[in-house]
Amino acid sequence: MQTVLAWYDAHARDLPWRRPGTTPWEVLVSEVMSQQTPVARVVPAWREWMRRWPGPTELARAPIAEVLRVWGRLGYPRRALRLIECARSVVEQHDGVLPDDLDALLALPGVGEYTAGAVLAFAHGRRALVLDTNVRRVLARAVAGQALPAPSLNRTERERALHLLPDDDSTAAHWSVAVMELGALVCTAREPNCGVCPWEVSCAWLAAGRPADVHAGRRRTQAWRGTDRQARGLIMARLREVADGQPVEAGELKACAARAGLSGTGGAPDPDQPGRALTTLLTDGLIATDDDGATYRLP
Ligand code: SF4
């Protein structure tokens, strides 16, 4: 354990939300943004976001269109709407102060097991399970001797992680961030750099001769080109470009979305995809219409 902690102290990235004085709310926003987006893209968006809406009170009253613009290209924009809902709940139920209790955190919109654990560990220095994809991968390899963890988090993994978590709060929080950083920088999904890893001498996967991924057949691939997700992203990108509240004709948005089908590799484009992308964005509350679908705008 000490070698992993020492490695972190020597190699951790200087991320803005790790600096002293970062508030629990700032940590929460950084974690929500980082869950499905590379850190290099998160850092500028997080800075801009915190400059505009430093706490839940400011975000709770922010115009949704402006929030979606600042969210920009982070992807999965429903996360931005969930952050607004979360901010409103914090304001209404906790006087604008993010709670520091696990159950109260889990009751907030968009806050799951991982985010709640990250806030407790990284903002409050407490002993909490923090199991993101990086931590899961490191523990699967180093402890369980598997190339990659199972597609979904299971009880064995939780127990394994809990067993390794140091007893005292500050060492546990240090350990959680260290293992996460190790997964981000060294024990990466595609090319683990075992030669510089502090776990090299006792890593179970390495000792077993780096066996193949036993869950490979059950893993969903994260394709993007040609998908509805790409089509939705193209519509959102067009709407972010126009001035506040300005509508864009459905035909123009469908033409934008159709570029996704043309870029795909799975044969002829799906003619229903552009319309489907518009409908699902509307259902998700990410776009709005004032004339029954003739034009659309950001909400
Ligand atoms: S030795 Fe290699 S596989 Fe094992 S934890 Fe380190 S980087 Fe990952």
Side-chain angles (χ1 to χ4, degrees):
M1 177 196 299
Q2 289 307 328
T3 55
V4 174
L5 298 180
W7 173 87
Y8 176 77
D9 292 343
H11 299 281
R13 291 166 295 179
D14 177 25
L15 300 176
W17 47 86
R18 285 185 183 159
R19 293 184 187 159
T22 304
T23 67
W25 177 255
E26 289 172 327
V27 169
L28 181 139
V29 173
S30 76
E31 292 299 335
V32 172
M33 287 183 170
S34 302
Q35 271 165 34
Q36 285 153 310
T37 308
V39 158
R41 263 198 276 158
V42 170
V43 170
W46 181 86
R47 285 206 170 102
E48 176 64 9
W49 186 284
M50 298 327 309
R51 190 182 67 73
R52 288 172 181 249
W53 310 297
T57 308
E58 294 80 10
L59 185 63
R61 54 178 182 233
I64 293 176
E66 198 183 332
V67 169
L68 290 172
R69 276 205 188 85
V70 174
W71 189 266
R73 294 183 57 250
L74 291 178
Y76 297 101
R78 268 178 292 186
R79 289 182 290 167
L81 297 187
R82 299 294 274 169
L83 269 176
I84 296 177
E85 288 171 37
C86 179
R88 289 176 182 164
S89 288
V90 171
V91 169
E92 286 160 18
Q93 294 165 23
H94 302 281
D95 294 327
V97 179
L98 190 67
D100 63 356
D101 163 81
L102 181 63
D103 290 336
L105 282 168
L106 288 172
L108 294 170
V111 176
E113 181 185 350
Y114 167 75
T115 309
V119 168
L120 292 177
F122 306 149
H124 298 289
R126 299 240 293 266
R127 184 178 191 268
L129 260 194
V130 184
L131 280 170
D132 78 338
T133 52
N134 285 323
V135 175
R136 292 183 63 211
R137 185 173 58 253
V138 174
L139 298 187
R141 286 176 180 160
V143 185
Q146 300 165 350
L148 291 170
S152 1
L153 183 60
N154 57 45
R155 202 171 76 184
T156 311
E157 276 184 270
R158 277 198 191 85
E159 285 168 359
R160 184 189 300 139
L162 209 49
H163 178 71
L164 284 173
L165 200 60
D167 289 333
D168 71 289
D169 281 329
S170 73
T171 316
H174 192 182
W175 170 256
S176 294
V177 74
V179 177
M180 189 181 292
E181 193 75 337
L182 190 64
L185 299 182
V186 175
C187 193
T188 58
R190 295 219 173 116
E191 288 181 47
N193 191 357
C194 304
V196 301
C197 179
W199 225 318
E200 187 185 12
V201 288
S202 59
C203 174
W205 187 58
L206 210 52
R210 296 169 66 130
D213 175 17
V214 292
H215 307 289
R218 291 167 53 215
R219 231 172 266 293
R220 274 193 306 141
T221 51
Q222 285 266 326
W224 180 72
R225 293 180 84 81
T227 61
D228 283 14
R229 193 158 78 77
Q230 185 189 10
R232 286 162 54 104
L234 289 164
I235 291 171
M236 292 299 290
R238 178 68 191 103
L239 288 174
R240 284 197 306 269
E241 284 168 9
V242 298
D244 231 0
Q246 286 301 306
V248 178
E249 299 212 343
E252 183 184 341
L253 293 172
K254 284 183 181 175
C256 290
R259 298 209 308 269
L262 294 172
S263 74
T265 51
D270 175 358
D272 297 331
Q273 187 175 59
R276 193 166 59 238
L278 273 176
T279 306
T280 56
L281 285 171
L282 191 64
T283 309
D284 288 346
L286 288 162
I287 61 174
T289 179
D290 300 316
D291 43 23
D292 209 17
T295 64
Y296 293 89
R297 57 177 172 79
L298 289 180

